Amino acid sequence: MIKPTVIVVGNGMVGYKFCEKLVARSADFNIIVFGEEPRHAYDRVHLSEYFSGRSADDLSMSTFSWYQENNITLHVNDPVLEINRPAKTVSSMSGLNLKYDFLVLATGSSAFVPDMPGVQKEGVFVYRTIEDLDLIKAFAVNVKIGAVMGGGLLGLEAAKALLDLGIRETHVIEYAPRLMPRQIDSAGSAMLQSKLGELGLTIHLNKSTAYIGGDHNINSLHFTDESLLAVDMLVISAGIRPRDELAKLSGLHTGSRGGIVVNGNMQTSDSCIFAIGECALFEGMVYGLVAPGYEMADTVVSQLTNGDKFFHGYDMSTKLKLIGVDVASFGDAFITEPDCRTIVFEDTHKGVYKRINISTDGKHLLGGVLIGDAEAYNMLLQTVSNKIVLPPNPEDLILGLRGGAESEGAGVMSLPDDALICSCEAVNKSTICSSVTDLGITSVDGIKKCTKAGTGCGGCVPLIKDLVAGTMKANGQYIKNVICEHFNYSRQELFDLVKINQLKNYDLVLDHFGKGDGCEVCKPAVASILSGLWNDVIVRQDTIQDSNDRFLANIQKGGTYSVVPRIPGGEITPDKLIVLGQVAKKYGLYTKITGGQRIDMFGAHLNDLPEIWEELIDAGFESGHAYGKALRTVKSCVGSTWCRFGLHDSVSFAIEIEERYKGIRAPHKIKGGVSGCIRECAEAQAKDFGVIATEKGWNLYVCGNGGSKPQHAQLLAADIDKETLVKYLDRFLMFYIKTAEPLSRTATWLNKMDGGLSYLKNVVLNDSLGIAAQLEDEMQSLVNTYHCEWKEVVNDPSLRKRFSHFINAPEEKDPTVQFESMREQVKAKW
């Protein structure tokens, strides 16, 4: 029997997904693919990551061998130029003329380029393909001022790309009165604009470009309001235009504003020709997201294999991170009162905006917008999609539960079996749960391989993780919280294994207990374990530590660094204050007193850091570890030394505690506080550990924190003397270092601990596990091996030479770094 031939025109994400789904469903077709780009399909959703280190191979969705293994004929760099519908043939640029039984048009879209004078000048680009990105990357080397035309999803992604390329002054030009007008409301857009402004973008709204100035190269943008903006480069990302040229030439029905008209079967006006993805026009709409394209591909596969699937439209809810800012919209985001009731939470200090729209009877969630914190997006979307009845207090959906948290995974486990978890691959809850129950899959990585869920945009991965854990728990299975796919151990297990086997570097740990090459999750986790065990200099663990640890300083705006020397207890001598002032003046640094009673100096060039540290060390300072997952500060009030309410010397005790635990690495940063009385001027109950003086001694509080999710510390021991408190603190901190998951603050660690505070008290105070002496010995070992990391770099030429911006010119500073005056100090100029 001769197999029918399916020709696919277009080898983007949707065209590739169609092939993948068809070969998985049937081997009864001869598949031929034409692509106009010189490479096989790649991930356009994460295209901007090309500028932050990912290669074209990293973005690839498959390999050339995959096509061969599945008997698919692939023609790259060879676009189809003509469709002969009566003869059922296609002709390509290379001269191929092939016959088809079924034709699938997956031609996607092209960047919309406004018709304006000057658009052909050098320095004007579109943002669509890897080749476009290569051109942008090459041109951007000497660019100081860049601009992006378009404030939608793609435009903001392009703006992030320019920032990643080091263009410090980047502008976004938007014709509409707000950013992302199709996704978020005015208040959410205003919050997003504020956040993006803090990150260095300049936003111009209500701007219509009249023409592009310059002779051969672009040098300015001229607007219809007669204003202008000087620029060296312009990236146009003002929307998309369906690629329907082939369809029009062959006489297929297209929309008046573009797009190949299709029905619910994804058939065009020719029943043998289908259209999928961004080139297709269904009921007057072109879908610009990948998930609807995948659904269209699955619909065509169903039609070709005698299935009954139809396309009924698609929910355009979306969640993404734009330049580090969470942005999401779901359901009907723009419905307004009186057609609904709205609940709004707005925090301008933290840059968080949340709005949910609920039905007038208060029973159902209709939609909403999330800016700055989109952690609840997946469950909110599920609540809308599955018409789940709202709780009595619907504000809990965005504010969180008060008076006791819901058990992990309970929310997602309550969803109906047919709830769509992964929209990209159309995988429902039942499929994921049965993979755990029937196939014994117990990891997200396993679910990805088995069901393809989570392999698209990746937004559903948190839901998948909760489903796996919830299903295992319901089945009475032990839930093992492994670090990542490269280590089949929890952090606590790996900590013990590294200690027992005396392993001192990452490669040895990976060889003994891991697989593959590691990733950005496990490398910092292992770095933390090695430092927590052996207290070695973090910069000797080359390339595995967090970015700030690599340079022992926090990276700031404009590519400079901050320097924070340790000032135990906030106490400092006049001589040391003078040195800080001299250093700040010599190196042109911005100075500020921090909330932790230290002095932060901003604006240091990378190659100046060792010089600055050397001068500070000579004056008696040492690293404040502001860059590390380690003890930051122990804040204090003036206590009985000066205060008439003070019961004990809180400053001396704070200094003693900070000197003891300085430099000790942990799963996350640690902050402490010592208050001389219950008035709590040091805010000790908002710290990972807090000490408050009483008439009988000291109270010890643990597991509090400020930040985006503040939590008060809880009383661990009351009215104890200093020696006992330090002993308990040794046990508490070492128990946390040994058992917490990566990047878990002490508050989160306690919240997830079986038995909670009662269990922690038994371990620390009553030695219920019989490990108190061991914890004290291990902590004392770390205390005894303390070293100042700045001093190690200053005294080690091999480490010191890493701190240069240009390898071939170690003395030269980054020429793109610029400053401007602000209140008699400097600030980074963007």
Side-chain angles (χ1 to χ4, degrees):
M1 181 182 295
I2 299 175
K3 295 180 179 180
T5 296
V6 177
I7 292 181
V8 183
V9 182
N11 191 37
M13 296 180 73
V14 174
Y16 166 77
K17 188 58 65 174
F18 167 78
C19 295
E20 185 182 71
K21 289 177 178 290
L22 184 56
V23 296
R25 196 89 51 94
S26 173
D28 297 333
F29 294 91
N30 175 36
I31 305 173
I32 303 170
V33 180
F34 285 91
E36 68 178 2
E37 292 187 57
R39 62 186 84 245
H40 49 80
Y42 56 89
D43 182 358
R44 293 186 196 274
V45 173
H46 299 99
L47 190 61
S48 62
E49 294 179 17
Y50 187 67
F51 290 119
S52 55
R54 293 189 72 184
S55 65
D57 288 339
D58 293 332
L59 292 170
S60 293
M61 300 182 70
S62 65
T63 62
F64 283 111
S65 62
W66 179 86
Y67 293 89
Q68 296 170 351
E69 292 162 4
N70 288 281
N71 298 313
I72 298 173
T73 303
L74 174 63
H75 301 284
V76 296
N77 212 16
D78 192 14
V80 170
L81 301 180
E82 183 183 357
I83 301 170
N84 186 328
R85 288 171 53 202
K88 298 181 75 171
T89 62
V90 297
S91 301
S92 75
M93 186 175 69
S94 68
L96 292 175
N97 191 275
L98 302 178
K99 188 172 180 61
Y100 64 84
D101 295 289
F102 300 100
L103 183 64
V104 178
L105 299 178
T107 48
S109 63
S110 60
F112 169 69
V113 179
D115 184 14
M116 68 177 72
V119 78
Q120 302 300 326
K121 294 184 187 297
E122 286 290 319
V124 180
F125 302 90
V126 294
Y127 188 84
R128 196 69 185 153
T129 68
I130 286 181
E131 284 65 41
D132 292 333
L133 270 57
D134 282 332
L135 293 172
I136 292 171
K137 196 172 184 179
F139 189 86
V141 174
N142 297 313
V143 169
K144 293 183 178 179
I145 305 174
V148 174
M149 185 179 293
L153 291 176
L154 292 175
L156 294 179
E157 282 291 314
K160 178 186 184 302
L162 296 190
L163 290 180
D164 288 341
L165 288 170
I167 300 175
R168 302 306 177 194
E169 185 176 342
T170 297
H171 299 259
V172 175
I173 316 299
E174 171 55 44
Y175 177 78
R178 69 174 188 264
L179 295 174
M180 295 181 65
R182 294 187 178 183
Q183 286 82 25
I184 57 179
D185 61 11
S186 296
S189 179
M191 184 67 74
L192 175 62
Q193 182 175 345
S194 175
K195 293 283 286 183
L196 296 181
E198 292 174 7
L199 295 171
L201 287 179
T202 302
I203 311 296
H204 306 266
L205 302 176
N206 289 307
K207 284 289 185 181
S208 175
T209 306
Y211 65 94
I212 298 170
D215 295 327
H216 180 67
N217 283 29
I218 179 176
N219 65 16
S220 57
L221 295 176
H222 296 256
F223 304 111
T224 54
D225 61 6
E226 298 186 352
S227 62
L228 65 86
L229 176 68
V231 295
D232 306 315
M233 177 182 190
L234 174 66
V235 176
I236 297 176
S237 188
I240 59 173
R241 175 170 284 165
R243 294 284 303 275
D244 56 9
E245 306 94 315
L246 270 177
K248 287 178 179 176
L249 285 172
S250 64
L252 293 175
H253 186 196
T254 58
S256 58
R257 300 183 63 182
I260 307 167
V261 176
V262 294
N263 59 20
N265 299 328
M266 306 315 298
Q267 288 173 311
T268 66
S269 52
D270 185 324
S271 61
C272 293
I273 301 177
F274 300 86
I276 57 177
E278 293 176 339
C279 67
L281 180 69
F282 176 75
E283 294 185 351
M285 181 159 183
V286 171
Y287 291 87
L289 298 177
V290 69
Y294 285 0
E295 183 76 358
M296 294 175 182
D298 198 50
T299 300
V300 177
V301 169
S302 175
Q303 297 298 319
L304 294 179
T305 55
N306 300 316
D308 57 1
K309 184 169 185 174
F310 293 91
F311 186 79
H312 299 287
Y314 209 84
D315 178 23
M316 293 295 283
S317 300
T318 184
K319 173 193 172 187
L320 62 158
K321 190 177 285 288
L322 291 171
I323 321 181
V325 180
D326 282 337
V327 178
S329 65
F330 55 94
D332 192 340
F334 296 111
I335 189 172
T336 58
E337 297 183 2
D339 298 320
C340 72
R341 297 176 182 174
T342 62
I343 299 175
V344 177
F345 171 76
E346 187 171 9
D347 184 342
T348 56
H349 174 64
K350 295 175 181 175
V352 174
Y353 171 82
K354 300 180 183 182
R355 168 184 165 172
I356 55 173
N357 308 321
I358 61 176
S359 59
T360 53
D361 60 9
K363 292 183 178 180
H364 295 97
L365 181 64
L366 304 178
V369 174
L370 305 171
I371 307 293
D373 177 10
E375 185 177 354
Y377 167 79
N378 283 309
M379 277 307 301
L380 290 172
L381 178 58
Q382 292 294 334
T383 302
V384 173
S385 302
N386 295 287
K387 296 181 173 58
I388 296 172
V389 176
L390 292 175
N393 300 308
E395 67 271 14
D396 290 348
L397 296 175
I398 54 175
L399 297 179
L401 297 172
R402 276 86 71 199
E406 188 177 347
S407 60
E408 186 178 354
V412 71
M413 289 303 293
S414 67
L415 294 174
D417 286 345
D418 60 355
L420 189 64
I421 302 299
C422 176
S423 58
C424 292
E425 294 292 340
V427 182
N428 61 23
K429 174 192 170 186
S430 177
T431 302
I432 294 171
C433 292
S434 62
S435 298
V436 177
T437 301
D438 300 335
L439 303 178
I441 297 172
T442 59
S443 69
V444 173
D445 193 46
I447 293 293
K448 287 181 177 181
K449 292 176 181 176
C450 175
T451 68
K452 293 286 185 180
T455 59
C457 69
C460 62
V461 169
L463 279 182
I464 296 172
K465 185 177 181 180
D466 283 349
L467 269 179
V468 171
T471 305
M472 291 176 66
K473 188 174 182 179
N475 293 343
Q477 292 175 270
Y478 169 67
I479 301 173
K480 188 172 184 179
N481 191 12
V482 300
I483 291 178
C484 69
E485 64 266 28
H486 302 109
F487 288 96
N488 194 31
Y489 300 97
S490 67
R491 183 187 179 278
Q492 182 178 352
E493 290 170 333
L494 192 59
F495 186 99
D496 292 333
L497 289 169
V498 172
K499 180 181 179 182
I500 291 169
N501 290 273
Q502 296 285 300
L503 304 179
K504 300 293 178 73
N505 65 61
Y506 178 78
D507 289 337
L508 288 174
V509 176
L510 189 64
D511 289 344
H512 278 72
F513 303 111
K515 61 183 179 181
D517 298 320
C519 65
E520 67 276 6
V521 174
C522 61
K523 288 180 178 180
V526 173
S528 171
I529 289 172
L530 293 172
S531 294
L533 279 170
W534 317 123
N535 227 0
D536 195 11
V537 182
I538 195 79
V539 289
R540 296 190 194 281
Q541 302 173 31
D542 193 21
T543 73
I544 68 167
Q545 65 272 57
D546 290 322
S547 57
N548 287 332
D549 277 325
R550 293 187 185 186
F551 301 113
L552 306 182
N554 286 326
I555 302 172
Q556 304 295 340
K557 276 186 180 180
T560 61
Y561 297 80
S562 62
V563 177
V564 189
R566 187 170 297 284
I567 303 176
E571 182 182 87
I572 187 168
T573 65
D575 286 338
K576 284 189 174 182
L577 276 173
I578 290 170
V579 170
L580 290 179
Q582 290 171 336
V583 168
K585 286 186 70 174
K586 179 177 178 179
Y587 293 93
L589 307 179
Y590 168 91
T591 56
K592 184 183 184 300
I593 296 174
T594 73
Q597 298 180 330
R598 301 196 290 196
I599 295 176
D600 202 341
M601 296 181 286
F602 296 86
H605 289 269
L606 178 61
N607 48 348
D608 282 340
L609 288 174
E611 303 293 334
I612 294 172
W613 298 338
E614 189 167 15
E615 293 191 34
L616 294 174
I617 290 166
D618 289 343
F621 288 103
E622 55 190 3
S623 168
H625 287 89
Y627 48 82
K629 302 296 185 285
L631 178 71
R632 297 290 178 86
T633 65
V634 179
K635 188 175 181 179
S636 77
C637 62
V638 295
S640 60
T641 308
W642 294 98
C643 180
R644 61 195 175 97
F645 298 110
L647 297 173
H648 303 307
D649 185 357
S650 56
V651 178
S652 295
F653 199 16
I655 293 172
E656 181 181 334
I657 292 173
E658 186 164 344
E659 293 283 1
R660 179 169 183 79
Y661 302 118
K662 63 186 179 183
I664 292 174
R665 298 276 168 165
H668 212 300
K669 62 185 176 186
I670 304 170
K671 296 182 179 181
V674 180
S675 288
C677 73
I678 197 61
R679 287 170 177 79
E680 258 282 69
C681 292
E683 301 168 329
Q685 292 179 83
K687 311 298 186 196
D688 295 280
F689 64 84
V691 181
I692 301 177
T694 70
E695 291 184 355
K696 298 179 181 179
W698 302 90
N699 285 351
L700 175 60
Y701 293 81
V702 295
C703 300
N705 64 250
S708 60
K709 295 183 179 178
Q711 182 169 317
H712 266 90
Q714 301 183 52
L715 181 64
L716 184 69
D719 297 325
I720 54 178
D721 57 39
K722 287 173 57 176
E723 292 72 21
T724 302
L725 189 145
V726 171
K727 179 173 65 175
Y728 287 167
L729 201 47
D730 279 357
R731 297 176 186 178
F732 162 72
L733 290 174
M734 201 66 222
F735 190 50
Y736 164 65
I737 290 169
K738 288 167 69 75
T739 63
E741 293 302 315
L743 301 180
S744 290
R745 289 291 295 270
T746 55
T748 304
W749 172 64
L750 180 62
N751 292 341
K752 293 183 177 181
M753 185 181 292
D754 289 338
L757 184 65
S758 296
Y759 175 75
L760 184 61
K761 281 185 175 181
N762 273 327
V763 173
V764 175
L765 276 59
N766 304 326
D767 194 16
S768 60
L769 298 180
I771 60 172
Q774 176 189 340
L775 295 175
E776 291 172 26
D777 289 344
E778 289 173 341
M779 178 56 74
Q780 190 60 50
S781 175
L782 293 178
V783 171
N784 293 341
T785 55
Y786 165 77
H787 45 253
C788 173
E789 293 177 323
W790 288 354
K791 190 172 184 179
E792 296 286 337
V793 171
V794 167
N795 294 334
D796 187 332
S798 64
L799 295 177
R800 190 163 181 158
K801 69 180 182 181
R802 295 185 191 176
F803 292 81
S804 58
H805 191 79
F806 301 104
I807 296 175
N808 297 326
E811 301 300 322
E812 188 173 338
K813 295 178 173 59
D814 182 356
T816 65
V817 173
Q818 298 181 42
F819 299 100
E820 58 187 356
S821 297
M822 181 184 70
R823 296 185 294 277
E824 298 183 7
Q825 294 207 71
V826 297
K827 68 180 287 287
K829 183 178 181 181
W830 281 65

